[in-house]
Amino acid sequence: MLLTTKLHQPASLTKSVKRSQLLQRLNAGLESGHQIFLVSAPAGFGKTTCITEWLHTLEMPFAWLSLDPADDDPGRFFTYCIAALQNIDRRIGREIEGILRAGQLPPEEIISTTLINDILKIDGRFLLVLDDLQMIQDAFILAVLEKLIANPPEALCLVLSTREDPSLPLARLRARNQLTEIRSGDLHLTRLETEQFLIDVLGLVLSQEEMSVLEKKTEGWAAGLHLAGLSLRDRSSPSEFIARLSGSQRFILSYLTEEVLNRQPEDVRGFLLETSILDKLSADLCNAVTGQNNSDSMLERLFRGNLFLISLDEEGCWYRYHHLFADLLRDMQYRQNKEVVVELHQRAAHWYAQNEMVNEAVQHALAGSDYETAIHLIETHAMDLLMQWHVKTVEGWMQAVPAEWIAQSPKANLVFAWLSIIRGNPVSAFPYLERLKSLSQDFEENPALYARWLVLQSMLLSAEGKAAESLVLLRQALEVVSQADMLTTSQIYLGMANAYQQLNDYPRALEAFQRIMQHSRQSGDSVSEMLGIAGMALFAIEQGELHFAFEIISAGIERMEKLDVMPPVSMALYGEMGVIHYQWHQLDQAHENFQRAIKVSKLSGYADAELYYGVILSRLFQIAGNLDGAIREVQKTVDLMYVETPSVVGEEIIAQQVCVSLAQDRLAAAEATLKSRGVHFGQQFSFPEFKENITRPMGLLYVSALRILLYRATSRGELETLQQGIELAGRLIDDALRHRYILLTLELLLLRAQSFAVLGDERASRNDYLQAIGLGEPEGFISVFVEAGPSTVEALSGLLEQFDRESVEAEYIQRILEAFPVNDRPAARTKPEADSVKESLVVPLSERELEILQLIGEGLSNQEITERLFITLHTVKKHSSNIYTKLGVSSRTQAVARARQLGLL
Amino acid sequence: MSDTRLYLVQIAGHVSAETINASSPIKMVVTPKDGTTQCIVRTDQSGLIGLLRYLHTRNLVFLSISSNLEQSGESHVP
């Protein structure tokens, strides 16, 4: 739950001193284009007052974020920071917000880049005030702020209010005169401002001499002057009192606070001291803490009396004391009524717990040494918060609870075990799980806890590659878990699906995914439902059931977009949707979905998914006739590939590297790529031994090897090894068909068909093509034929004669032929090449259209083009439409192919 | 508290001026001396506290912090 008071600039006094000089300096900074404003001074110097006064004089929109210690947690900080920025424009941080809501923390460079790009879309400047920035010391948060400061988007002016200079590269900005700075020396009230404050704001009547002495004694320090003014109210001999003031600021402050308190009626003094333990005050909360029922009027009275009470919202519901005043009140309360403080905190903890403000409840329970309540709250809420990536907050609680209390709580140990796993250190989870087990000797009495313990143990086993052992525990967990425990049940099914996948037991994995979908739909657990859909759809695609996969993914995406969350699993949904469109040769839709999948992968920090969809994007460019784009995309994935890249991703990259190398006639490079996987060419063709139950990664390796053999046969006449390849392909096809891996079967059939043709066995070649047509037609596979290259055009054109023109097969073949790049199509191949090169446009493209066409050719989405050229989406679409019309095409891929044909790219 | 002073912060080991000033909140004059690094900065207390935290988060070890350079007559002024 977001506390909206944090997003509201505080309001303290009804009247305040006009700090004209400071406002002039701040305004001068704005006028000279400064984007960073630092207001750095200790407490009580009037930083917040100065900034709020400045904001009121500006016509610029602004966003405010009041920071507190709990915000030093990246998940919480960015949730609030984005909420503040969305007060300027709802579009800012929408994607990050979705990811954060789904319990993930995007990498720092993604957060900074996305925020910068989002703010770049904003017209007009605005201010973002981060108040009390000294609360933020987390390196992750500071790294993002550092990037924002290094590359501030034009619209953003960042105002940093802090008691100490933040660990940010401000020296650089200062040296370049890009920083406006207000420091404690600047915040001192001048003689004139002191007079205005004492007379106009506090309503005192003092002589010039008295004011002069007071200014000297308080050194123009706003908090000291304020307290002195309150102490002087209704005093008969102000001169005497002023003369007594001496010592350091801290001493004066303590002295004056006591003076102010002693001058208050008993009920006010009691209220101030008792409520000083609260960081925020509302009437209801104060009633709960003080046991009174008149807090509403009391708060109003304090506010009107200028007693350091600051309003945190427009409705007057929430207040806080000035930090410095609150510190001193707490000191006094602790000295005078130490034993009462504990009870006050306990009352506050219960109020916050009842009002579901968990962090505040835990903090007060801890401050009140009420560990029973603290542990109860942690047991109840910690897991949910961990799933929302508020890891640091939970860690902070756990560290604050004495070890003996943690040691007695099974659930607290469960939380610690999860923390270890989330922090990427699963080994350190074992002691907690052991303790959990020893504390719960009789798990039968607490089956829910037992189920969670089993799930965690199974996860650790699975991480060690012990899928079978993991499954045993998950089955036990399934027997004991309550259906009401939705999170654990989803985790069990997910664990089972993963384990079955590791064991290559696809039917059971599929069943587990179905269970996830059923269960999570009933329980309303949308993220698990998406995981189930993604897993199931992936199977369906591998099994060639494109329409079924399309249906379930479409429904999944629609539900996800309605829910307004963007869990990392959404990248799988978009990516799989892209694969389906790709196979149907709907390249624009495929491209759009891949771009979205890659974007979510980046936002979520999932490098593997980014690589996977990046490599399919390269395939897309290649079949669209854009070899440069294909080379660029595959090279990006090669550059990002790392030693432990999973084979399901790594083999896709290698396979595409081979394709691209062969398309460039770089046989040696293609062979070198496969050499790292144990495939050797030359006199002898050798390859890793083929075992039954082929997997997609292994299949891709063999497909790539066969592709090289075919190339060697056609370019060098090496037919012997091709024969060897055909034999291997036969065994692979049988195995793939047995498992109904339709896509892999089609890839192998088409390669074998081409190989037979090279060896002169036209009949066998024709049979393979016919089988491929029969397998591909029901679900509409197109692109796999295009990937097979131009020789397929001739073969399929030959097959056309065999079918009735109105037949399903003929219509299907015709669609495949039309999908080939223009130059590869039968009509184009018969047309004299010179004609096509000389062909020119009736209406030439404008310079802007050419520029946009160039970017389309580079694979940029419309959104990316808007960001590159600083134009609106509408303008890009308009230009694109004109380009299509002038080129006589209907899609961007066709446009690129046509532009290449015309030599425009 | 709000006056600016000249502070000398002595750090164990040698650290280059470029490294230490690359992302610091306040620019320092950095000189090596007998196996230590001396950083001289003119700032107020908020600046000093921020600077110390900046150095601390970079795992630098403080050997001494002093602020009476002007009285001592040493010529450190940046």
Side-chain angles (χ1 to χ4, degrees), chain A residues 68-327:
Chain A
D68 55 56
D71 294 322
D72 198 25
D73 181 334
R76 184 177 154 110
F77 177 86
F78 289 109
T79 301
Y80 273 107
C81 190
I82 288 167
L85 286 167
Q86 287 182 351
N87 282 336
I88 298 296
D89 192 309
R90 286 292 302 158
R91 290 172 296 172
I92 303 177
R94 291 280 291 161
E95 285 164 336
I96 300 173
E97 186 192 15
I99 296 277
L100 288 170
R101 207 178 290 146
Q104 291 287 312
L105 182 66
E108 62 191 41
E109 66 275 16
I110 297 299
I111 296 185
S112 51
T113 313
T114 310
L115 285 180
I116 289 169
N117 285 339
D118 286 355
I119 297 172
L120 276 174
K121 294 172 198 157
I122 307 296
D123 293 327
R125 297 168 88 189
F126 70 91
L127 291 152
L128 170 64
V129 183
L130 298 178
D131 194 25
D132 281 328
L133 187 64
Q134 76 279 354
M135 302 291 180
I136 303 302
Q137 300 297 339
D138 183 272
F140 184 100
I141 302 173
L142 289 171
V144 174
L145 290 179
E146 186 171 333
K147 289 194 173 74
L148 266 180
I149 285 171
N151 306 290
E154 208 175 318
L156 176 69
C157 294
L158 197 55
V159 183
L160 310 173
S161 168
T162 176
R163 293 185 192 180
E164 61 186 60
D165 288 22
S167 287
L168 294 168
L170 300 175
R172 215 185 295 159
L173 297 177
R174 203 176 281 118
R176 294 180 197 149
N177 190 27
Q178 293 173 339
L179 177 73
T180 297
E181 207 166 357
I182 304 285
R183 307 195 66 88
S184 51
D186 309 309
L187 285 161
H188 281 166
L189 293 171
T190 62
R191 173 66 200 279
L192 186 64
E193 288 167 341
T194 303
E195 274 184 39
Q196 282 176 350
F197 181 70
L198 294 172
I199 296 168
D200 297 343
V201 178
L202 296 183
L204 293 173
V205 180
L206 296 174
S207 69
Q208 286 295 320
E209 175 65 20
E210 284 164 344
M211 278 193 278
S212 177
V213 175
L214 196 54
E215 189 222 336
K216 275 185 193 153
K217 294 234 173 181
T218 58
E219 298 171 343
W221 181 41
L225 208 55
H226 189 172
L227 277 166
L230 291 175
S231 306
L232 285 166
R233 273 183 181 166
D234 306 323
R235 198 176 279 273
S236 55
S237 53
S239 300
E240 207 177 294
F241 175 78
I242 294 168
R244 284 209 307 271
L245 285 177
S246 65
S248 68
Q249 286 180 341
R250 178 78 192 182
F251 176 80
I252 290 177
L253 195 74
S254 302
Y255 172 71
L256 289 175
T257 306
E258 293 218 30
E259 277 293 315
V260 169
L261 268 185
N262 290 337
R263 294 171 68 80
Q264 301 304 320
E266 182 64 34
D267 60 336
V268 174
R269 191 162 60 241
F271 184 87
L272 285 169
L273 287 171
E274 287 185 346
T275 56
S276 67
I277 62 143
L278 299 170
D279 291 329
K280 292 185 289 290
L281 302 96
S282 73
D284 199 24
L285 171 59
C286 292
N287 282 342
V289 169
T290 61
Q292 306 288 322
N293 58 7
N294 63 342
S295 301
D296 204 356
S297 59
M298 183 65 84
L299 287 169
E300 180 70 18
R301 193 168 148 196
L302 296 179
F303 187 65
R304 291 196 182 283
N306 275 328
L307 270 168
F308 289 95
L309 198 64
I310 295 165
S311 169
L312 296 177
D313 55 22
E314 282 171 352
E315 296 79 25
C317 293
W318 284 95
Y319 299 87
R320 72 167 167 84
Y321 290 120
H322 188 287
H323 293 311
L324 206 54
F325 188 60
D327 283 349

Side-chain angles (χ1 to χ4, degrees), chain A residues 669-741:
Chain A
E671 290 182 357
T673 306
L674 279 195
K675 201 174 171 184
S676 64
R677 294 297 197 261
V679 184
H680 299 277
F681 300 89
Q683 297 282 318
Q684 283 265 293
F685 167 49
S686 62
F687 49 88
E689 188 190 350
F690 166 62
K691 292 172 189 161
E692 284 193 342
N693 298 327
I694 194 168
T695 57
R696 171 88 187 151
M698 278 309 286
L700 278 174
L701 201 62
Y702 293 122
V703 163
S704 301
L706 293 172
R707 211 162 258 154
I708 291 178
L709 291 178
L710 184 60
Y711 184 91
R712 289 172 71 101
T714 49
S715 64
R716 297 185 179 185
E718 290 177 13
L719 303 182
E720 258 181 53
T721 48
L722 186 60
Q723 187 58 51
Q724 217 182 328
I726 285 176
E727 283 161 20
L728 172 63
R731 288 158 57 204
L732 293 166
I733 289 167
D734 289 346
D735 195 60
L737 264 179
R738 194 159 55 83
H739 291 290
R740 276 202 59 78
Y741 292 152

Side-chain angles (χ1 to χ4, degrees), chain A residues 423-491:
Chain A
R423 287 293 192 202
N425 187 9
V427 177
S428 65
F430 281 112
Y432 297 111
L433 289 174
E434 284 304 307
R435 196 194 281 161
L436 168 60
K437 194 180 176 190
S438 68
L439 287 171
S440 318
Q441 284 172 349
D442 194 359
F443 265 138
E444 278 180 22
E445 283 183 14
N446 197 342
L449 194 63
Y450 183 43
R452 288 178 185 192
W453 179 82
L454 286 166
V455 168
L456 271 174
Q457 289 281 17
S458 75
M459 283 172 74
L460 296 174
L461 287 169
S462 183
E464 290 175 4
K466 295 175 182 171
E469 289 99 320
S470 168
L471 265 176
V472 173
L473 298 189
L474 289 166
R475 287 195 194 107
Q476 286 177 37
L478 201 55
E479 281 172 23
V480 294
V481 72
S482 153
Q483 285 299 307
D485 187 349
M486 294 157 193
L487 180 66
T488 311
T489 311
S490 298
Q491 285 170 344

Side-chain angles (χ1 to χ4, degrees), chain A residues 411-694:
Chain A
K411 282 187 182 169
N413 280 281
L414 188 78
V415 174
F416 263 120
W418 269 107
L419 273 172
S420 305
I421 289 172
I422 287 171
R423 287 293 192 202
N425 187 9
V427 177
S428 65
F430 281 112
Y432 297 111
L433 289 174
E434 284 304 307
R435 196 194 281 161
L436 168 60
K437 194 180 176 190
S438 68
L439 287 171
S440 318
Q441 284 172 349
D442 194 359
F443 265 138
E444 278 180 22
E445 283 183 14
N446 197 342
L449 194 63
Y450 183 43
R452 288 178 185 192
W453 179 82
L454 286 166
V455 168
L456 271 174
Q457 289 281 17
S458 75
M459 283 172 74
L460 296 174
L461 287 169
S462 183
E464 290 175 4
K466 295 175 182 171
E469 289 99 320
S470 168
L471 265 176
V472 173
L473 298 189
L474 289 166
R475 287 195 194 107
Q476 286 177 37
L478 201 55
E479 281 172 23
V480 294
V481 72
S482 153
Q483 285 299 307
D485 187 349
M486 294 157 193
L487 180 66
T488 311
T489 311
S490 298
Q491 285 170 344
I492 293 171
Y493 285 129
L494 277 173
M496 291 178 110
N498 289 332
Y500 284 127
Q501 273 183 313
Q502 278 184 34
L503 295 169
N504 281 346
D505 187 343
Y506 293 118
R508 286 206 174 92
L510 192 57
E511 192 187 328
F513 279 123
Q514 277 170 331
R515 299 251 178 184
I516 296 167
M517 284 171 62
Q518 282 168 0
H519 168 79
S520 49
R521 194 165 291 167
Q522 282 165 5
S523 63
D525 174 4
S526 53
V527 173
S528 297
E529 186 186 343
M530 300 305 150
L531 281 168
I533 289 173
M536 200 165 178
L538 185 63
F539 271 115
I541 291 170
E542 284 188 354
Q543 302 268 303
E545 294 174 19
L546 299 184
H547 288 99
F548 172 64
F550 179 80
E551 291 300 322
I552 56 173
I553 294 176
S554 299
I557 289 177
E558 196 183 328
R559 273 177 63 75
M560 187 180 66
E561 288 177 348
K562 266 190 200 156
L563 289 168
D564 204 20
V565 292
M566 198 187 283
V569 66
S570 62
M571 70 194 162
L573 296 185
Y574 289 127
E576 286 165 13
M577 185 58 103
V579 170
I580 296 167
H581 283 301
Y582 173 77
Q583 288 303 340
W584 285 342
H585 204 263
Q586 294 165 346
L587 301 188
D588 284 354
Q589 292 101 313
H591 186 264
E592 193 182 321
N593 278 288
F594 288 140
Q595 292 286 12
R596 294 177 91 162
I598 290 169
K599 192 159 192 177
V600 182
S601 314
K602 280 182 180 163
L603 282 168
S604 315
Y606 282 90
D608 294 342
E610 191 184 339
L611 290 176
Y612 184 73
Y613 299 119
V615 80
I616 306 181
L617 201 56
S618 168
R619 284 166 59 188
L620 184 150
F621 284 133
Q622 192 169 1
I623 64 165
N626 178 359
L627 185 59
D628 291 343
I631 294 167
R632 190 188 59 241
E633 288 301 322
V634 80
Q635 191 54 47
K636 270 194 223 167
T637 63
V638 172
D639 292 344
L640 289 170
M641 209 170 147
Y642 55 101
V643 179
E644 289 168 2
T645 298
S647 62
V648 71
V649 179
E651 298 332 52
E652 288 280 356
I653 296 174
I654 282 181
Q656 181 57 10
Q657 266 186 295
V658 169
C659 280
V660 166
S661 297
L662 293 180
Q664 298 172 87
D665 292 320
R666 294 173 62 228
L667 178 61
E671 290 182 357
T673 306
L674 279 195
K675 201 174 171 184
S676 64
R677 294 297 197 261
V679 184
H680 299 277
F681 300 89
Q683 297 282 318
Q684 283 265 293
F685 167 49
S686 62
F687 49 88
E689 188 190 350
F690 166 62
K691 292 172 189 161
E692 284 193 342
N693 298 327
I694 194 168

